[in-house]
């Protein structure tokens, strides 16, 4: 991990780039709501509260500096979703992009799914670098020629042009969710995907927009009996019949679609037993899982609740195999965090390419990494102050009591408006994308 | 990890930090339900978003927000969008879709 001093496998994280405006006046539309690398790591997509998607592309390594990884520059940007008004319920449907998921690449074009609270869209991003010239019936500017003036015939020829990247919506999957969509996940079969809202999960075929199959429904007959909601869902990375979903009560259910059409009965239930004497008003709220992610290997899954990150072995339902404290010092601040609503913040988490390190965000623009093998953790900060090119990030430390050392920050000085909810790790390399409220930071390991 | 409350009588009970926070919360909000994760919180979560009277009301509120775009709006505190103070007429509602502003990430 990033460290003072050496050590065989210490990774030193360096600032690489930052995207977004510097000013402190943040318009709501600019709040980043999702970050996702594609399967090769060449493309990095962000979604924001204004319904816009920005895609960055990694430049090819320059021949001058073969050891330096390419920078990410804007490749395409488009308006994915617009605000809508639900006339039946008299409620606004936000255009905020909740999730982006890339499809594995099959041809020259790239495809991604983006979703807001109600509608999922499949976008095709394609490149155009040549255009036809020399039509018989049209001038170069598009005006039609008078056919009587045409005396000879010619064959139009393709000529190179400046690269144009076009994004077009290929499918719109609408009207399938009564509640708010929190997750989408593409199946390893590359033909289907799931979308999950608070109470239901639907299975779609990527080609078919006018119907979807409901595979999980936890809505009680009497809404007064509602005790938990679905918070996240994901398909297994290589078993196309398996998916998991997490709940607001801290449980994860694994379902096998071969068992029955409606997967209300789970195949496995992952739940850590709780000590009843420790139970408090906050217990259930802080146990609510905000994100669930399978490891690349498919053997493990990671969950994020308010204070911890837990790694579960799919073969053991009784308890997680590893638990990492993200910001345990907040346990004695739960009252104020409840009053300012921060206790409901939904942090995401991610794995590195070989599943040896996991990462998640915290407050004060801090983010945390946990090395599973070396049992080390580090806190780093995404800030403009540490944004000099290739400068190594200094580990940060929160002082939890007693005398505050120099360079430490006390819990009461943390800025709870500066939250890092979304982070992403390149699928192969040590390149990470960290989203603060309205800026995207890219860090790389020191080569 | 245990914390001794200085505001409590020292009667040999040592509360966990979580329970101490609960005591603080109950002191401020005595009517808080016994089952917090239950129906109330969940129901609030299921119906997130502000209800409007109708689409005219919604469009009027949107037009008002557009005029005040430069206010910093990052705090999690609720946005007090006032609706219903003016009966919408066709002239008041923005005639065309406002032009889409590009994301600053792409700048």
């Amino acid at each position: 991990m990033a460290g003072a001093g050496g050590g065989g496998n210490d990774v030193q994280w360096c600032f690489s780039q930052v995207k977004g405006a510097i000013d402190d006046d943040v318009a709501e539309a600019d709040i980043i709501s999702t970050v996702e690398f594609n399967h090769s790591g060449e493309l990095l997509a962000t979604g924001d509260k204004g319904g816009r998607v920005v895609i960055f592309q990694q430049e090819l390594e320059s021949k001058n500096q073969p050891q330096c990884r390419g920078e990410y520059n804007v490749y395409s940007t488009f308006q994915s979703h617009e605000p809508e008004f639900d006339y039946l319920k008299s409620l606004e449907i936000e255009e905020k992009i909740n999730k982006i998921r890339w499809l594995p690449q099959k041809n020259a074009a790239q495809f991604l799914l983006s979703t807001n609270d109600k509608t999922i869209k499949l976008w095709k991003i394609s490149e155009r670098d040549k255009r036809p010239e020399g039509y018989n019936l049209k001038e170069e500017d598009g005006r039609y020629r008078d056919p009587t003036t045409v005396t000879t015939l010619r064959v139009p020829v393709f000529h190179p042009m400046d690269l144009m990247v076009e994004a077009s919506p290929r499918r719109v999957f609408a009207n399938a969710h009564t509640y708010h969509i929190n997750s989408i996940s593409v199946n390893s079969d590359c033909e289907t995907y799931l979308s999950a809202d608070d109470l239901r999960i639907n299975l779609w075929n990527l080609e078919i927009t006018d119907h979807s199959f409901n595979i999980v429904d936890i809505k009680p007959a009497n809404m007064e009996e509602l005790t938990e909601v679905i918070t996240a869902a994901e398909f297994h990375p290589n078993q196309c019949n398996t998916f998991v979903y997490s709940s607001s009560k801290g449980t994860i259910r694994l379902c096998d679609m071969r068992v029955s059409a409606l997967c209300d009965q789970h195949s496995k239930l992952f739940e850590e037993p709780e000590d009843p004497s420790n139970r408090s008003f906050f217990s259930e709220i802080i146990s609510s899982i905000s994100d669930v992610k399978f490891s690349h290997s498919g053997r493990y899954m990671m969950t994020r609740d308010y204070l911890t990150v837990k790694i579960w072995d799919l073969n053991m339902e009784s308890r997680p195999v590893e638990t990492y404290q993200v910001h345990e010092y907040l346990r004695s601040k739960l009252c104020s965090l409840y009053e300012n609503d921060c206790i409901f913040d939904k942090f995401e988490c991610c794995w590195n390419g070989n599943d040896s390190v996991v990462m998640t965000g915290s407050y004060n623009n801090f983010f945390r990494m946990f090395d599973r093998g070396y049992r080390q953790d580090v806190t780093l900060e995404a800030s403009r102050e540490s944004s000099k090119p290739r400068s190594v990030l200094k580990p940060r430390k929160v002082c939890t009591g007693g005398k505050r050392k120099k360079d430490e920050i006390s819990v009461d000085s943390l800025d709870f408006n500066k939250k890092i909810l979304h982070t992403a790790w390149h699928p192969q390399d040590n390149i990470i994308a960290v989203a603060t409220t309205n800026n995207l930071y890219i860090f790389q390991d020191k080569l | 990890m245990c914390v001794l409350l200085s505001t409590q009588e020292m009667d040999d009970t040592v509360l966990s930090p979580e329970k101490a926070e609960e005591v603080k919360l109950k002191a401020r909000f005595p009517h808080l339900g016994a089952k917090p994760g239950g129906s109330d919180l969940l129901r609030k979560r299921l119906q997130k978003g502000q209800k409007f009277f109708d689409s005219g009301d919604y469009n009027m509120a949107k037009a008002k927000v557009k005029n005040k775009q430069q206010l910093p709006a990052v705090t999690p505190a609720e946005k007090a969008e006032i609706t219903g103070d003016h009966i919408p007429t066709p002239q008041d509602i923005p005639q065309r879709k406002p032009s889409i502003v590009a994301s600053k990430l792409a700048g």
Side-chain angles (χ1 to χ4, degrees):
Chain A
M1 300 311 304
N9 273 289
D10 272 350
V11 173
Q12 290 199 292
W13 289 98
C14 304
F15 170 81
S16 176
Q17 299 169 268
V18 62
K19 309 279 184 193
I22 301 178
D23 53 63
D24 285 326
D25 237 8
V26 182
E28 270 217 53
D30 293 326
I31 296 173
I32 299 172
S33 51
T34 185
V35 182
E36 189 81 358
F37 280 101
N38 76 335
H39 294 271
S40 65
E42 185 204 354
L43 299 177
L44 175 60
T46 60
D48 65 23
K49 217 165 179 229
R52 299 164 300 195
V53 170
V54 181
I55 301 175
F56 302 93
Q57 181 188 44
Q58 192 180 28
E59 299 302 327
L60 295 170
E61 286 165 21
S62 75
K63 299 200 174 35
N64 301 335
Q65 290 183 291
Q67 293 298 79
C68 200
R69 289 200 199 85
E71 277 199 342
Y72 283 85
N73 296 319
V74 179
Y75 179 65
S76 172
T77 175
F78 54 92
Q79 186 81 30
S80 172
H81 287 71
E82 305 252 9
E84 288 174 67
F85 189 66
D86 182 337
Y87 293 95
L88 281 182
K89 296 187 188 157
S90 295
L91 286 173
E92 176 178 25
I93 301 171
E94 267 194 300
E95 67 274 35
K96 171 166 78 87
I97 308 296
N98 293 333
K99 286 276 158 40
I100 288 173
R101 289 289 182 263
W102 290 92
L103 268 57
Q105 190 175 11
K106 282 196 215 168
N107 52 38
Q110 300 278 355
F111 288 86
L112 62 78
L113 287 171
S114 69
T115 187
N116 69 349
D117 281 339
K118 296 285 182 181
T119 304
I120 308 126
K121 294 187 185 181
L122 177 70
W123 287 88
K124 175 179 178 182
I125 297 106
S126 49
E127 293 183 0
R128 190 197 293 262
D129 61 358
K130 19 184 189 304
R131 67 160 175 260
E133 285 172 21
Y135 282 106
N136 290 291
L137 297 176
K138 277 197 292 189
E139 304 285 1
E140 293 310 325
D141 59 10
R143 282 178 302 140
Y144 281 99
R145 293 169 76 188
D146 179 355
T148 57
T149 64
V150 177
T151 52
T152 59
L153 284 180
R154 55 187 177 170
V155 178
V157 175
F158 276 99
H159 286 133
M161 61 182 249
D162 287 339
L163 178 67
M164 218 167 70
V165 182
E166 302 168 320
S168 60
R170 305 302 288 178
R171 306 268 188 281
V172 177
F173 304 92
N175 302 320
H177 286 278
T178 309
Y179 302 97
H180 298 114
I181 298 174
N182 51 56
S183 311
I184 46 175
S185 177
V186 184
N187 201 343
S188 51
D189 67 9
C190 298
E191 286 183 4
T192 58
Y193 75 94
L194 63 75
S195 58
D197 67 30
D198 292 316
L199 296 178
R200 298 191 177 102
I201 302 179
N202 293 330
L203 180 71
W204 302 83
N205 182 303
L206 285 163
E207 300 292 327
I208 298 168
T209 58
D210 60 1
H211 59 265
S212 71
F213 293 97
N214 177 242
I215 52 177
V216 172
D217 188 339
I218 64 167
K219 183 174 182 204
N222 179 3
M223 284 298 269
E224 302 281 319
E225 291 162 26
L226 182 67
T227 55
E228 64 184 328
V229 294
I230 297 169
T231 52
E234 191 175 65
F235 265 120
H236 190 277
N238 37 61
Q239 291 168 20
C240 57
N241 52 285
T242 304
F243 66 93
V244 293
Y245 67 94
S246 59
S247 84
S248 53
K249 273 184 156 177
T251 63
I252 309 101
R253 286 172 177 80
L254 183 142
C255 302
D256 186 334
M257 294 194 294
R258 299 169 299 187
V259 172
S260 70
L262 191 58
C263 296
D264 280 358
Q265 298 294 320
H266 54 262
S267 297
K268 293 194 185 188
L269 173 66
F270 298 84
E271 188 173 13
E272 184 164 27
E274 192 198 6
D275 180 0
S277 65
N278 272 341
R279 198 167 170 77
S280 76
F281 174 85
F282 303 108
S283 299
E284 195 171 301
I285 302 174
I286 62 172
S287 72
S288 176
I289 292 171
S290 49
D291 195 15
V292 64
K293 291 263 172 51
F294 278 104
S295 65
H296 293 91
S297 63
R299 165 84 191 266
Y300 299 96
M301 66 179 173
M302 162 168 56
T303 57
R304 174 68 155 102
D305 52 60
Y306 191 61
L307 297 178
T308 72
V309 160
K310 295 183 167 128
I311 311 284
W312 303 78
D313 183 327
L314 292 191
N315 298 320
M316 186 166 79
E317 300 164 61
S318 52
R319 57 185 160 74
V321 289
E322 294 152 39
T323 300
Y324 300 105
Q325 303 294 338
V326 181
H327 37 217
E328 175 67 13
Y329 46 79
L330 295 185
R331 200 180 287 271
S332 53
K333 301 284 170 199
L334 293 176
C335 180
S336 8
L337 293 168
Y338 179 89
E339 287 179 74
N340 62 19
D341 272 356
C342 283
I343 204 175
F344 300 105
D345 285 336
K346 295 182 179 48
F347 292 94
E348 292 174 8
C349 53
C350 59
W351 298 84
N352 74 340
N354 60 15
D355 299 335
S356 60
V357 184
V358 296
M359 169 168 66
T360 190
S362 179
Y363 294 104
N364 209 70
N365 282 346
F366 287 171
F367 57 101
R368 303 263 287 135
M369 288 185 187
F370 302 95
D371 188 318
R372 302 174 60 210
Y374 289 89
R375 290 284 159 174
Q376 291 171 341
D377 62 88
V378 71
T379 305
L380 300 173
E381 182 180 1
S383 72
R384 294 273 172 177
E385 285 76 43
S386 43
S387 300
K388 286 182 253 323
R390 290 184 295 282
S391 64
V392 176
L393 293 182
K394 212 165 74 108
R396 309 287 284 140
K397 196 141 163 47
V398 177
C399 163
T400 53
K403 213 157 168 342
R404 186 176 74 88
K405 298 195 188 74
K406 183 172 100 91
D407 283 353
E408 284 186 359
I409 181 166
S410 75
V411 182
D412 295 311
S413 310
L414 294 174
D415 188 342
F416 289 94
N417 286 322
K418 292 189 176 163
K419 32 193 123 183
I420 290 179
L421 302 174
H422 312 287
T423 59
W425 206 309
H426 188 285
Q428 277 107 36
D429 300 334
N430 273 338
I431 304 173
I432 54 176
V434 175
T436 58
T437 306
N438 63 324
N439 286 132
L440 183 72
Y441 285 79
I442 299 173
F443 302 107
Q444 299 182 0
D445 66 344
K446 196 177 166 92
L447 287 169
Chain B
M1 202 170 89
C2 292
V3 164
L4 283 177
L5 291 186
S6 55
T7 52
Q8 261 200 345
E9 292 286 283
M10 296 277 280
D11 57 350
D12 287 337
T13 52
V14 177
L15 285 181
S16 72
E18 226 175 281
K19 290 252 170 71
E21 290 295 297
E22 182 172 0
V23 169
K24 249 193 260 176
L25 193 68
K26 289 258 158 78
R28 284 188 217 180
F29 306 103
H31 301 298
L32 216 46
K35 222 184 158 350
S39 294
D40 287 341
L41 255 180
L42 287 180
R43 224 120 30 94
K44 196 171 88 154
R45 181 202 170 120
L46 289 185
Q47 199 212 272
K48 86 176 189 212
Q50 182 184 5
K51 236 175 155 73
F52 293 88
F53 181 71
D54 61 14
S55 60
D57 195 25
Y58 167 69
N59 282 307
M60 290 295 289
K62 277 253 147 257
K64 211 174 293 176
V65 169
K66 275 263 161 326
N67 293 337
K68 298 189 200 169
Q69 191 102 71
Q70 291 321 307
L71 284 181
V74 182
T75 59
E78 44 286 59
K79 258 186 324 176
E81 265 183 38
I82 301 162
T83 64
D85 62 346
H86 179 99
I87 296 171
T89 62
Q91 295 91 311
D92 298 330
I93 293 170
Q95 288 305 319
R96 63 173 189 87
K97 219 173 9 185
S99 44
I100 289 157
V101 180
S103 164
K104 296 203 178 101
L105 290 184

